[in-house]
Amino acid sequence: MNSVQQAGSTPTSGSMLLGVIGDPIIHSKSPVMHNAALKALGIPGSYVPLHIKPEGLEGAIQAVRSLGFRGINVTIPHKVEVMKYLDHIDEGAARVGAVNTIVNNNGVLTGYNTDGIGYVRSLKEEACPVLNGKKIVVLGAGGAARGIIHALTAEHPDQISVVNRTASKAIELAQEWGALADIQGFSEAEAKEVVASADVLINTTSVGMHPNIADLPVPKEWIPEGIVVSDLIYNPLETALLHTSSDKGCIIHGGLGMFVNQGAYALEYWTGLAAPVEIMKEAVLHSFKI
Ligand code: ATR
């Protein structure tokens, strides 16, 4: 039995069907990234973009079973809603409250969240190998922040400080996961002092995203020299925050690595094989240029 058949997708055809559901979906870089990976691994199959509106979500999930898809990714706006149509939810995804990856084992669907673990793998590989004992400051407390903060708690940092425009969301998140790590929530009014203590500063807000590429989530003067600064945004590849931080001698880390690694984990769940991460990254970078 080859690896494709072991993965349990469509043993009759031996071809692995994968895809991503979202609304909109046309700009997704996942198909180009995963098709490059399938080719590099020598796995016959295809990864397709599927434009699914909210009213079509339940039917789309049923179709994953009936059409014999091995797995799918789930993107905006379905990451939360999709959970009620699955057979099992992985513990991490349940805590985060969102699913971005579904694995189909002979009609039994399990939901995972690879965004947070993908982010942390990328941060450690590219910028900060040891997070243990670090003071981490996270800007933002939305869906993306939840995924990465949950994954960061597993790294045993000294402290995670969450700063959010709507302070109540940061404080509630800190209370919810208080048992996992030393987490505290703060308002923007407290941000200057909090950021001053950071070893690692992570922007999860949309401030600085295309087209508002000159915007900074915190003023330049607040950023300590020489720390690690990470931004989840990958369009542009180097945000104003990263550019400014680089000028201050910081180690910078952009959002492309998170995108590639959330996909790498998903591919590993579907195939049982190590993902060709560099080839996946190159495929995404190339698609930005054309
Ligand atoms: P995502 O899934 O990308 O995290 P989200 O759940 O809508 O999206 O969360 C967006 C985050 O960016 C929130 O923390 C939001 O702050 P609020 O909770 O106060 O809305 C933050 N954010 C978005 N625009 C912002 C801005 N202009 N200034 C500061 N924070 C902003």
Side-chain angles (χ1 to χ4, degrees):
M1 203 183 244
N2 67 28
S3 59
V4 178
Q5 288 169 328
Q6 276 170 357
S9 59
T10 51
T12 45
S13 68
S15 183
M16 185 177 283
L17 282 178
L18 301 168
V20 55
I21 60 169
D23 176 28
I25 203 63
I26 190 150
H27 298 295
S28 172
K29 300 288 183 195
S30 291
V32 77
M33 177 170 78
H34 282 288
N35 282 315
L38 288 174
K39 193 171 164 206
L41 291 173
I43 296 177
S46 192
Y47 183 111
V48 290
L50 300 163
H51 186 188
I52 306 295
K53 300 232 176 243
E55 58 274 22
L57 182 60
E58 184 175 7
I61 297 305
Q62 191 46 40
V64 168
R65 294 188 182 91
S66 57
L67 297 175
F69 272 69
R70 168 59 177 158
I72 54 167
N73 284 129
V74 182
T75 189
I76 291 167
H78 304 311
K79 288 187 184 190
V80 177
E81 200 63 16
V82 78
M83 295 172 78
K84 63 176 178 241
Y85 303 121
L86 305 179
D87 302 302
H88 302 292
I89 308 285
D90 163 73
E91 191 189 330
R95 276 224 179 98
V96 172
V99 158
N100 80 323
T101 300
I102 298 172
V103 179
N104 177 8
N105 277 317
N106 301 314
V108 179
L109 303 188
T110 303
Y112 297 88
N113 193 314
T114 68
D115 287 330
I117 54 176
Y119 171 78
V120 168
R121 178 151 85 178
S122 149
L123 179 67
K124 288 171 74 174
E125 278 177 10
E126 294 173 36
C128 191
V130 180
L131 291 165
N132 185 322
K134 295 285 194 303
K135 290 190 185 342
I136 301 177
V137 175
V138 178
L139 305 174
R146 282 184 71 86
I148 71 149
I149 291 169
H150 185 264
L152 285 168
T153 63
E155 299 296 321
H156 307 294
D158 179 49
Q159 210 173 59
I160 302 176
S161 304
V162 187
V163 177
N164 198 41
R165 180 175 62 181
T166 311
S168 58
K169 272 168 69 178
I171 292 162
E172 279 163 25
L173 201 156
Q175 281 167 351
E176 186 182 340
W177 290 342
L180 300 178
D182 179 358
I183 312 183
Q184 290 185 52
F186 297 93
S187 68
E188 282 188 333
E190 299 162 292
K192 185 177 180 186
E193 202 178 323
V194 174
V195 170
S197 72
D199 299 313
V200 182
L201 175 66
I202 303 170
N203 176 44
T204 75
T205 77
S206 48
V207 179
M209 192 182 287
H210 185 82
N212 303 315
I213 58 170
D215 292 355
L216 285 170
V218 289
K220 179 175 182 177
E221 308 76 60
W222 292 9
I223 302 166
E225 287 186 11
I227 66 166
V228 173
V229 178
S230 170
D231 201 327
L232 267 57
I233 294 169
Y234 68 91
N235 186 8
L237 287 168
E238 187 173 308
T239 58
L241 172 67
L242 295 184
H243 190 73
T244 299
S245 301
S246 180
D247 285 348
K248 297 193 79 171
C250 297
I251 298 168
I252 58 169
H253 171 250
L256 180 65
M258 171 177 176
F259 177 69
V260 171
N261 278 287
Q262 62 75 31
Y265 270 113
L267 194 75
E268 286 165 18
Y269 291 170
W270 296 324
T271 66
L273 301 173
V277 176
E278 281 309 312
I279 286 169
M280 294 166 78
K281 186 184 268 184
E282 280 308 312
V284 178
L285 282 173
H286 182 71
S287 78
F288 272 119
K289 289 180 202 145
I290 53 179

